Amino acid sequence: MTTSGMAVSALTCLALLFLSPTTSLVVLVVELVALGIGMGMFTPPNNSAIMGAAPPDKLGVAGGILNMTRSLGLIFGVDISGVIFTSLEHKYIVDKGYPDVQHIFASNNIPLADKDAAFMRGFLFMIVVLLIINLTAALLSVRKKEGVQLSSEAIKEFEGI
């Protein structure tokens, strides 16, 4: 399930790369719902695998660390992606000849087409980053199936049957 969830999320990110300012709101909502489904398929089994790997006497500590890392990931992910997004958006506007703009979408001097293009530049870059993260997580979540190892006693017992 973890690998499938990340695969669904990666495919959805790939679909999101084809968005444009003229994309229908319905298409956007469907793609974001699919991304949510992929994350929903990934998160519970991933949490279960983490908790299942913890010794029974350390389940409380493992749960606390799991919650802390999830919260930190969310906080830093939103902050870092926001900084990158706005930096790319601002750089695009500056390159278009509007160097002293502080609030891009509040400015009446910038044409709407340039505002849309600036937004899409930051958005698509962040989707590429998310796609790379999803593919990496999908690859890391693949587990080898290990064969059953029989002890020599079990083999002798089986041969005696």
Side-chain angles (χ1 to χ4, degrees), residues 85-105:
F85 175 87
T86 49
S87 297
L88 290 171
E89 189 180 51
H90 190 262
K91 182 179 180 336
Y92 182 87
I93 291 298
V94 168
D95 291 346
K96 282 294 196 175
Y98 304 98
D100 295 327
V101 174
Q102 294 299 318
H103 303 286
I104 293 170
F105 286 91

Side-chain angles (χ1 to χ4, degrees), residues 37-38 49 58-59 69 75 107 109 122 129-130 132:
I37 289 170
K58 301 290 184 196
L59 286 176
T69 55
I75 291 165
S107 174
N109 300 334
V129 170
L130 185 57
I132 291 167

Side-chain angles (χ1 to χ4, degrees), residues 65-121:
I65 291 173
L66 179 62
N67 266 336
M68 180 190 67
T69 55
R70 186 183 315 120
S71 296
L72 287 175
L74 179 66
I75 291 165
F76 285 119
V78 169
D79 288 346
I80 292 169
S81 62
V83 166
I84 293 169
F85 175 87
T86 49
S87 297
L88 290 171
E89 189 180 51
H90 190 262
K91 182 179 180 336
Y92 182 87
I93 291 298
V94 168
D95 291 346
K96 282 294 196 175
Y98 304 98
D100 295 327
V101 174
Q102 294 299 318
H103 303 286
I104 293 170
F105 286 91
S107 174
N108 294 327
N109 300 334
I110 302 171
L112 187 57
D114 287 342
K115 291 178 183 181
D116 288 346
F119 175 85
M120 291 305 292
R121 173 173 279 192

Side-chain angles (χ1 to χ4, degrees), residues 10 15 26 30 33 47 61 75 80 83 93 95 114 146 157 161:
V26 172
V30 167
V33 166
N47 290 349
V61 173
I75 291 165
I80 292 169
V83 166
I93 291 298
D95 291 346
D114 287 342
E146 295 183 21
E157 186 178 320
I161 293 178

